[in-house]
Amino acid sequence: MIVVDGTLKRRLGAWLLAAVAVLGTFLLVEAYTSAQRAADRAFDSQLEAASLTIAEAIQWQDGQPVVEIPAAAFQILATDQQERVFYTILDTGGREVTGNLDGVITDDLRQAAQSAAVWKFATYHGTPIRLYGRELKSAGWESVEPVQIWVGHTLSGRDALARDLFFRALSRFVAMVILTGLLMWLAIRTALRPVRRLRQLIRQRDADDVSPLNAQVPGELYDMAETLNALFERQREGRGALLRFTADASHQLKTPLTGLQSTSELALQSDRPEDWRRALQIVHDSSARTSRLAGQLLSLARLRHADEGTPGRIDLAAVLRDTVMEWAERDAAQHHDLGLAPLPDTPLFVQGEPWSLREMIGNLIDNALRYTPAGSVITLDLERAADTVTLTIEDNGPGVSRDLLDRLHQPFERAGRQDTEGSGLGLAIVDSIARRHQATLTVHSEPGHGLRVTVRFPLLPEEDPA
Amino acid sequence: MMRALLLLLLSLMPSVLWAQAPTPLHVEAALDRQVVAPLLARFQQLHPDIDLRYHDNSTLNVDKQARDADPAPDVVISSAMPWQMARVNEGLAQRLDSAAARNWPDWAKWRNEVFGFTFEPIVTVYRLDLARHMMPPTTHADLHTLLKTHQDLLRGRVTTYSPTGSGVGYTLFQQDARYSPRFWDLVAAMGAAQVSLENTTRNMLKGLTDGTYWVGYNLLGSYAMHWARSHPDIIVQIPQDYALVMMRMAFIHRDAPHPAAARAFMDFLLSEAGQKTLAGSTPLFSVLPDVVGPYTAQRLRDQVGERLYPIPINASLLAFVDPMRRDAFMKRWNREIRILNP
């Protein structure tokens, strides 16, 4: 049964989504922090410039710092975002020379600024601001004490710039995702086109078209197409075999029927009762053979077709003994020495159906009787190995040549002999039954030294586990 | 957040509810009540639900009120631009988010918190008597030359703002000094002419009318032009080299007890209706270029051309209130004004 387990598109889409989600989180976090950094850099440089402008205006009069704050410094500080501006100039003692930043510059900040310029986010009456402070040591005619210049402004410009940068990065990212999605979709469509083409090709085939596929497929689909081709190949073979079998069977049935017809015609033209009697005799024999042939064909068809009957635990030794006994009493066996080698005392269980096992043994015996001259010795035997049991039938007839051995279990194969009454179905039936029992059929022959057929069954344990 | 919600609720309430108990609105202004009476009347007419309490005061007192008063005034209006700027920079103003505020010209507002809503050129005013003796001054340089050449005739007859007594005067002198270093020559010449320093334009105009003064420097053009209409012997001259332009700046106090009413008042000041009243019924000029009336910025520009220099409403104003810069400026003023005296 074919179960639809999502679609490739959806699966690829899910992967894309997962990748975008994970990557996107990293990218956006990175974009956010870098936007903040960039905005801070841009605005910090304004603070620095304003601080420089103020520093330029500082002069010392009588050892005291005097500064005429340049108006431009405030404009630089405010930036075009109109920030609120804060500044203070502290003398060496930390007293405010001038400014509007009362109480924000702590002693710690002042001490830090003595060694290096200080950047700090602080608050002025609850409003977050950015502060920049540095110490200015100026040369002068008299000895001059250093002063500290602190400038600061509110953060709206930074926030706006950071937000702007971030949203630009975000929109670029979203555009990229959409584009990737589109490309992905196109790629999926393109990639799946060979699958659709293959499907179409198969759908368009006639029901009895078993020729190999003729298609261009990508590497990933090659195996599947190959498998399909192999399936078609097997189907073709199966169909061929079936056709051959039907043709052979018809031919086989036709021959005796033709004989029957000509015999009965001859008899009808005669007025003598003894001719009729002889003809009737012939008709009788011939129809018996035909009936047997039809029976064999039927069992072969049954065997080939399907799983009829349920297999069970069968004592192979018992079946063999019964079958041999039955055959030994038949007329056909009266001119041969049909014998059974001593069998093991314990039952030898195999998995199988009694009727097909009897059929197999019967066919083996029938074959041996038919293809050996009168007086030949036919011996059946069972040999037990560790987990197999081997059924052997051996005769001292003429045997068959080596190149015919492989073909023996094909239907209607009579080892090149057309002189017997056999149909050539015997070993084919045996082979089919052996396959059904997971047994292996081997035919061994030395020309002039008879034929040996072995069937090796898997052996069931002696005790029924059930 | 709660406050914002409350404000929203208040502003959404139908005015009918207010009819019984009008919202008081306290406006603290350095702007003569009688000058802006038509403006206030129009506002009352449009907002009968608001009980407008308008206090006019000196710039110094207005600044003090804005800093210290409890409860704070709702709206603060002053012509002392640097001090207004300093208060806004301290965070004493609240942002006005309205269409009128957004559409207000960028050069006349800061942070959408403080708005320059008038446009007042700074002028030189002289008596007709002066014209009988000499060519009246049309530029700053002319005035300097007259003071040098007619020193004896003009001695004691020159007046200007006191930089210590008037925030407006101080601001104008600071701005003058920014534009030209020759300003200090003018100060020295005025000092030599024993200039009288007044605290208000009104006082200067009174002195000019009664003949005490012949020439006044850096008067508020709005008042002077209004005055000259009823005093034909007073001539108003917009300097032809450069004319400073002062703006009254208004902001809503951060701690305004009636913020909704304050916003309504500000919106009115910045609205076309308000500006039209300003331009049509008061001597003040409108900032908006498309407002038609006798007193508009556009009309002034048409007359004087591109020589109008509005004092910019930006952070540079803060330099004027820096105590040390102020000290330095006053030191220089005091030095220069005496420098030609024997």
Side-chain angles (χ1 to χ4, degrees):
Chain A
M1 192 167 63
I2 296 172
V3 180
V4 176
D5 182 18
T7 66
L8 282 178
K9 274 179 206 164
R10 197 165 301 164
R11 220 170 278 181
L12 286 168
W15 275 106
L16 177 67
L17 205 71
V20 163
V22 173
L23 253 174
T25 313
F26 282 119
L27 275 177
L28 292 184
V29 166
E30 210 280 324
Y32 183 76
T33 49
S34 72
Q36 292 276 5
R37 265 202 308 276
D40 279 340
R41 259 203 309 279
F43 279 83
D44 281 352
S45 67
Q46 302 278 82
L47 287 182
E48 228 168 344
S51 172
L52 273 176
T53 313
I54 292 174
E56 278 291 308
I58 295 182
Q59 289 176 337
W60 274 263
Q61 285 172 11
D62 311 323
Q64 291 299 311
V66 174
V67 53
E68 194 171 337
I69 289 279
F74 292 112
Q75 255 170 303
I76 297 170
L77 265 185
T79 77
D80 54 359
Q81 298 292 315
Q82 304 189 327
E83 306 286 357
R84 287 164 60 192
V85 305
F86 305 96
Y87 69 105
T88 192
I89 294 164
L90 305 175
D91 68 11
T92 320
R95 284 177 300 272
E96 185 174 87
V97 176
T98 188
N100 68 350
L101 249 184
D102 46 318
V104 175
I105 310 301
T106 59
D107 286 346
D108 288 347
L109 281 176
R110 219 157 47 75
Q111 267 155 27
Q114 278 166 7
S115 45
V118 174
W119 293 101
K120 186 156 172 48
F121 287 104
T123 54
Y124 173 82
H125 293 292
T127 309
I129 61 171
R130 176 74 160 166
L131 270 182
Y132 170 59
R134 67 189 186 107
E135 191 152 281
L136 178 70
K137 295 184 186 73
S138 180
W141 285 10
E142 309 123 54
S143 69
V144 289
E145 302 286 347
V147 294
Q148 285 192 0
I149 303 169
W150 288 85
V151 291
H153 58 196
T154 45
L155 308 178
S156 56
R158 289 162 197 263
D159 292 349
L161 180 61
R163 211 163 35 234
D164 187 45
L165 289 173
F166 175 68
F167 278 114
R168 251 185 266 175
L170 183 70
S171 53
R172 274 198 299 273
F173 177 71
V174 167
M176 202 189 74
V177 167
I178 292 173
L179 204 69
T180 312
L182 268 172
L183 284 176
M184 201 76 174
W185 183 71
L186 275 176
I188 291 170
R189 273 185 70 90
T190 319
L192 288 183
R193 189 170 298 153
V195 176
R196 275 200 304 280
R197 217 164 44 212
L198 199 62
R199 185 189 63 198
Q200 226 161 11
L201 213 59
I202 293 170
R203 197 175 279 174
Q204 280 170 352
R205 287 171 84 91
D206 289 332
D208 50 358
D209 183 0
V210 287
S211 62
L213 283 170
N214 191 10
Q216 276 185 325
V217 290
E220 288 86 347
L221 284 180
Y222 178 76
D223 275 352
M224 196 182 134
E226 259 311 271
T227 313
L228 273 173
N229 268 348
L231 179 68
F232 288 141
E233 173 73 28
R234 279 207 303 280
Q235 276 192 347
R236 198 163 56 239
E237 280 170 7
R239 276 164 59 87
L242 188 65
L243 281 174
R244 265 198 317 281
F245 180 77
T246 314
D248 285 351
S250 313
H251 182 72
Q252 289 299 322
L253 285 170
K254 192 167 175 287
T255 312
L257 288 174
T258 315
L260 278 175
Q261 198 180 13
S262 56
T263 307
S264 50
E265 269 170 14
L266 267 173
L268 283 172
Q269 285 164 11
S270 167
D271 296 334
R272 290 185 303 179
E274 49 272 35
D275 285 348
W276 296 346
R277 185 173 177 81
R278 206 175 55 241
L280 266 179
Q281 190 60 51
I282 293 170
V283 167
H284 175 261
D285 292 350
S286 187
S287 59
R289 266 202 314 277
T290 311
S291 165
R292 183 175 162 273
L293 178 64
Q296 277 184 322
L297 281 173
L298 192 63
S299 21
L300 198 56
R302 252 170 96 190
L303 285 166
R304 291 233 166 150
H305 183 248
D307 30 24
E308 267 176 47
T310 44
R313 276 167 74 84
I314 307 291
D315 178 7
L316 186 60
V319 173
L320 179 64
R321 197 175 296 121
D322 289 352
T323 315
V324 173
M325 296 294 273
E326 186 204 324
W327 271 84
E329 286 165 12
R330 293 197 185 180
D331 289 348
Q334 297 316 309
H335 306 292
H336 288 79
D337 182 3
L338 181 61
L340 191 60
L343 298 181
D345 297 334
T346 52
L348 297 165
F349 288 111
V350 295
Q351 187 83 16
E353 307 138 321
W355 72 267
S356 60
L357 286 176
R358 264 200 297 277
E359 184 82 24
M360 176 171 83
I361 298 165
N363 270 287
L364 283 172
I365 296 171
D366 189 38
N367 259 12
L369 293 174
R370 277 178 202 282
Y371 295 102
T372 52
S376 298
V377 181
I378 299 165
T379 315
L380 289 104
D381 192 11
L382 269 184
E383 266 174 62
R384 186 195 168 147
D387 51 359
T388 56
V389 56
T390 309
L391 170 71
T392 312
I393 179 164
E394 210 169 352
D395 65 52
N396 57 357
V400 294
S401 68
R402 194 171 289 268
D403 54 330
L404 277 172
L405 276 179
D406 290 340
R407 282 170 26 216
L408 273 183
H409 42 78
Q410 300 280 336
F412 312 111
E413 189 58 61
R414 270 173 287 191
R417 289 166 58 173
Q418 305 299 331
D419 57 333
T420 74
E421 294 185 325
S423 59
L425 286 175
L427 262 185
I429 292 169
V430 171
D431 186 42
S432 290
I433 295 171
R435 279 169 201 271
R436 279 169 75 89
H437 291 81
Q438 285 88 42
T440 41
L441 172 70
T442 329
V443 185
H444 182 79
S445 174
E446 295 279 326
H449 292 93
L451 190 75
R452 199 164 77 113
V453 180
T454 56
V455 186
R456 186 180 293 126
F457 291 87
L459 185 65
L460 289 183
E462 269 176 45
E463 293 304 314
D464 190 345
Chain B
M1 187 62 202
M2 279 306 289
R3 216 171 104 143
L5 271 178
L6 193 68
L7 296 185
L8 191 70
L9 269 177
L10 284 176
S11 61
L12 286 178
M13 276 190 184
S15 48
V16 186
L17 265 181
W18 300 89
Q20 288 164 337
T23 319
L25 171 64
H26 176 195
V27 177
E28 197 68 37
L31 175 57
D32 286 355
R33 187 188 185 101
Q34 66 199 72
V35 171
V36 288
L39 193 69
L40 303 180
R42 182 93 177 104
F43 176 73
Q44 289 280 255
Q45 191 188 338
L46 288 171
H47 294 272
D49 51 319
I50 293 175
D51 175 20
L52 177 64
R53 294 172 194 167
Y54 184 89
H55 294 170
D56 58 351
N57 220 325
S58 72
T59 51
L60 275 174
N61 277 337
V62 168
D63 192 52
K64 216 166 113 65
Q65 287 278 314
R67 267 185 301 178
D68 304 330
D70 188 28
D74 291 307
V75 175
V76 181
I77 297 173
S78 175
S79 51
M81 298 172 73
W83 281 269
Q84 287 287 83
M85 192 56 137
R87 298 296 86 81
V88 174
N89 189 55
E90 273 166 31
L92 274 188
Q94 57 174 276
R95 196 179 168 82
L96 178 63
D97 279 313
S98 70
R102 276 190 297 277
N103 296 332
W104 199 246
D106 284 333
W107 55 269
K109 64 180 177 184
W110 200 62
R111 293 172 62 84
N112 274 2
E113 288 178 356
V114 63
F115 302 86
F117 70 100
T118 67
F119 192 84
E120 302 178 51
I122 303 305
V123 297
T124 305
V125 179
Y126 56 88
R127 281 182 66 81
L128 272 178
D129 298 342
L130 183 93
R132 274 198 286 278
H133 293 88
M134 59 197 90
M135 273 291 287
T138 58
T139 65
H140 289 79
D142 281 354
L143 182 62
H144 179 232
T145 313
L146 285 190
L147 286 172
K148 295 286 263 193
T149 51
H150 299 84
Q151 206 172 350
D152 294 330
L153 191 63
L154 291 176
R155 183 167 289 122
R157 288 174 167 162
V158 181
T159 184
T160 190
Y161 265 118
S162 157
T164 46
S166 160
V168 176
Y170 168 73
T171 309
L172 296 175
F173 294 139
Q174 274 272 18
Q175 195 68 14
D176 272 329
R178 269 181 92 185
Y179 283 142
S180 172
R182 291 193 60 201
F183 167 71
W184 292 114
D185 296 341
L186 182 63
V187 171
M190 285 196 293
Q194 292 175 1
V195 63
S196 303
L197 301 179
E198 295 281 3
N199 284 346
T200 66
T201 290
R202 187 170 300 280
N203 287 350
M204 287 189 261
L205 288 171
K206 276 181 188 159
L208 282 160
T209 303
D210 64 24
T212 317
Y213 309 131
W214 277 18
V215 61
Y217 174 67
N218 271 5
L219 280 74
L220 294 184
S222 47
Y223 290 177
M225 288 178 202
H226 189 61
W227 186 278
R229 285 186 169 191
S230 49
H231 299 86
D233 50 343
I234 300 293
I235 309 295
V236 175
Q237 174 68 52
I238 298 174
Q240 296 296 299
D241 47 353
Y242 72 89
L244 293 178
V245 176
M246 187 212 71
M247 285 179 270
R248 314 262 170 181
M249 288 163 67
F251 66 86
I252 303 172
H253 201 283
R254 179 191 63 205
D255 306 324
H258 314 103
R263 274 197 296 276
F265 185 73
M266 284 295 282
D267 274 340
F268 170 71
L269 286 187
L270 306 182
S271 71
E272 202 153 314
Q275 290 286 308
K276 262 186 186 150
T277 313
L278 199 78
S281 315
T282 76
L284 306 171
F285 290 81
S286 163
V287 173
L288 293 180
D290 47 352
V291 167
V292 185
Y295 303 105
T296 66
Q298 196 54 46
R299 194 163 158 185
L300 260 179
R301 283 213 177 90
D302 291 345
Q303 282 175 12
V304 194
E306 293 308 309
R307 291 183 298 278
L308 290 176
Y309 286 80
I311 296 171
I313 298 187
N314 63 32
S316 66
L317 278 178
L318 293 171
F320 299 167
V321 286
D322 178 71
M324 192 165 256
R325 182 169 165 138
R326 188 173 155 87
D327 286 351
F329 183 85
M330 287 318 299
K331 257 185 207 155
R332 175 123 196 227
W333 173 277
N334 290 331
R335 194 166 68 238
E336 298 283 355
I337 208 152
R338 282 192 210 98
I339 209 163
L340 295 180
N341 281 346

